[in-house]
Amino acid sequence: MLLALDTSAGGVAPRAVIAGWVRVSCDSVRLISKRYAETGGDVWATVGRKERALPPVPSSVT
């Protein structure tokens, strides 16, 4: 998706088209492109997952 949004290779397809190519919603394309811009173009920071502040709560059902 990030390669499809790259403007250095020329024109960029509309977000709806890119969403169809990678089979995600248009909102996902918008959020990922926004995160990429916010991280200053750092791919690993864009696609990486944040660590939890707290460990997961164990299920009360046994």
Side-chain angles (χ1 to χ4, degrees):
M1 178 184 322
L2 291 174
L3 290 174
L5 290 167
D6 186 10
T7 58
S8 67
V12 177
R15 288 186 179 154
V17 174
I18 294 171
W21 288 341
V22 294
R23 297 184 182 188
V24 296
S25 68
C26 292
D27 198 41
S28 293
V29 175
R30 181 185 63 81
L31 291 173
I32 290 172
S33 62
K34 180 181 172 184
R35 188 179 323 150
Y36 183 73
E38 289 172 350
T39 61
D42 184 2
V43 174
W44 296 114
T46 303
V47 298
R49 296 186 66 170
K50 293 188 277 183
E51 288 202 26
R52 290 175 171 246
L54 300 171
V57 179
S59 175
S60 60
V61 179
T62 56

